[in-house]
Amino acid sequence: MYEAAFSMRPRQRGSHLGLMLLASQLFQVGLDNIPPVTLAVLGLNVYLFLFPAAPLMQACVSVQQAYWRGGWRRLLLSPLHHVDDWHLYFNMASFLWKGTNLERRLGGPWFLYLLCVLSLLTGGVYLLLGAALTELTQDQSYSMACAVGFSGVLFALKVLSNHYHPGAVTHVMGLPVSNRYVSWVELVLIHMMSPGTSLIGHLAGILVGLLYTLGPLKAVMKKCAGFVTSSGYNSRPSAYYNSSGSTGYRSTGGGYSGYRQNNPPDYTPPHTASYSSGLTEEEQLEAAIRNSLNDRGQSSQRGAPPPYGQHLSDEARAEEIRLRRLRRFDSDSRQ
């Protein structure tokens, strides 16, 4: 995230070297090796850099613009807009690695859900921190600082990545740092090396990430997802989400499998009814066909494949009835 300093230096549209480097990195990795949600979010950020939904001063988020003046749409716009092509390049290069690893671990549907929640909450926590600092210090600059960029979300994703690799070590400027503390070290170093970045915005991302890994956010998200999938608006079994690392949308050999389906608890396999209670052979056949048609209709509603023997067309069944009748007629005529 960059703060109000970007208003003093308008976006330059010269060589777009940052865009070219990003394109080169994408093709080096290979578009086929990038999971779909990560690739789509990358594409959306690049598109909104080239064709902004709003000017930067109308897309950035601040206490003054969002809370005092009611510009809540800035919570949606600010993570997806960038100051210049280098700002975009560094954020998207970082997201390419973090997004690929997390999407493959969590699954595409949950990762997309997670990105939406993290983006909104990071902006919300940024507003809360700005308002709190304004109140504590009586300094209005905290409320007027307007931030834009995806790096707040990246700090939240970094907390998640480190959470899934707790014993690993990251080298920061040549020094080994435990993954447990590396986000805090990078927070300080980035602010020292690049003063125009938003310390509060990055801090908001870390706090939201901790809210997910150590707080109640993950449980709340799972409960909301379970409510939506079990609300009855979709009668078909939907994808199952598991934010702990294994999902129904997992990567196997570079590809993505489909959704898992479970039979309902009260499901019983179709049974064969008895047709021999006083019925002729022709009536038995007709009753069997009617019953199998009913079974096929019930099975299609459950999403299960049709039972064995139900792949014949209606014309084939009619022909079978006709042949049975002819054989019965021939046998009666011989008698």
Side-chain angles (χ1 to χ4, degrees), residues 1-6 9 11-12 16-19 21-22 42 45-46 49 56 60 77-95 146-155 190 194 196-198 201-202:
M1 276 187 171
Y2 274 87
E3 284 187 337
F6 66 75
R9 55 184 182 118
R11 176 184 291 178
Q12 299 181 3
H16 285 321
L17 183 58
L19 278 177
L21 287 175
L22 178 60
L42 276 165
N45 276 270
V46 172
F49 174 77
L56 286 180
C60 63
L77 296 177
S78 60
L80 302 175
H81 288 75
H82 292 83
V83 176
D84 51 36
D85 57 333
W86 287 109
H87 187 204
L88 176 72
Y89 167 71
F90 287 118
N91 279 353
M92 292 301 101
S94 177
F95 178 67
C146 210
V148 67
F150 201 71
S151 54
V153 180
L154 291 176
F155 266 88
I190 289 176
S194 183
T197 57
S198 173
H202 295 166

Side-chain angles (χ1 to χ4, degrees), residues 247-316:
T247 71
Y249 189 69
R250 60 172 61 89
S251 173
T252 54
Y256 289 86
S257 63
Y259 297 148
R260 182 181 70 178
Q261 290 185 344
N262 293 323
N263 290 326
D266 58 348
Y267 174 77
T268 56
H271 60 278
T272 303
S274 174
Y275 308 115
S276 58
S277 55
L279 299 179
T280 65
E281 182 178 314
E282 178 183 329
E283 291 171 338
Q284 293 175 30
L285 177 62
E286 292 176 349
I289 292 174
R290 285 196 302 269
N291 187 77
S292 63
L293 287 174
N294 291 334
D295 287 342
R296 184 180 65 170
Q298 295 173 1
S299 300
S300 62
Q301 291 178 358
R302 301 186 187 106
Y308 176 79
Q310 298 306 317
H311 301 284
L312 297 176
S313 63
D314 293 340
E315 291 79 7

Side-chain angles (χ1 to χ4, degrees), residues 81-281:
H81 288 75
H82 292 83
V83 176
D84 51 36
D85 57 333
W86 287 109
H87 187 204
L88 176 72
Y89 167 71
F90 287 118
N91 279 353
M92 292 301 101
S94 177
F95 178 67
L96 176 61
W97 177 79
K98 293 181 178 68
T100 298
N101 291 334
L102 285 174
E103 183 173 351
R104 285 174 177 169
R105 184 183 186 97
L106 302 177
W110 184 269
F111 184 62
L112 177 60
Y113 178 32
L114 181 65
L115 283 179
C116 295
V117 173
L118 294 182
S119 298
L120 291 175
L121 282 184
T122 299
V125 173
Y126 173 78
L127 295 179
L128 290 176
L129 291 175
L133 288 173
T134 300
E135 186 68 24
L136 290 174
T137 63
Q138 298 300 311
D139 185 353
Q140 296 298 318
S141 64
Y142 291 109
S143 293
M144 299 176 65
C146 210
V148 67
F150 201 71
S151 54
V153 180
L154 291 176
F155 266 88
L157 294 178
K158 187 169 188 63
V159 172
L160 268 68
S161 298
N162 295 338
H163 174 74
Y164 292 124
H165 302 88
V169 173
T170 301
H171 287 79
V172 180
M173 300 183 67
L175 299 176
V177 180
S178 171
N179 276 359
R180 182 175 300 179
Y181 309 109
V182 69
S183 298
W184 299 102
V185 174
E186 291 183 354
L187 173 69
V188 176
L189 286 179
I190 289 176
H191 185 64
M192 292 174 59
M193 298 173 63
S194 183
T197 57
S198 173
L199 176 66
I200 301 176
H202 295 166
L203 176 61
I206 292 178
L207 294 179
V208 171
L210 292 175
L211 191 64
Y212 181 87
T213 57
L214 303 178
L217 179 57
K218 180 167 64 175
V220 172
M221 288 177 60
K222 291 172 71 173
K223 185 170 294 186
C224 292
F227 173 77
V228 172
T229 56
S230 63
S231 59
Y233 293 109
N234 186 0
S235 60
R236 296 176 299 177
S238 57
Y240 68 105
Y241 303 108
N242 187 343
S243 57
S244 62
S246 61
T247 71
Y249 189 69
R250 60 172 61 89
S251 173
T252 54
Y256 289 86
S257 63
Y259 297 148
R260 182 181 70 178
Q261 290 185 344
N262 293 323
N263 290 326
D266 58 348
Y267 174 77
T268 56
H271 60 278
T272 303
S274 174
Y275 308 115
S276 58
S277 55
L279 299 179
T280 65
E281 182 178 314

Side-chain angles (χ1 to χ4, degrees), residues 61-74:
V61 63
S62 68
V63 177
Q64 180 189 51
Q65 298 295 335
Y67 181 70
W68 295 351
R69 300 183 180 178
W72 295 109
R73 65 190 292 263
R74 293 169 180 261

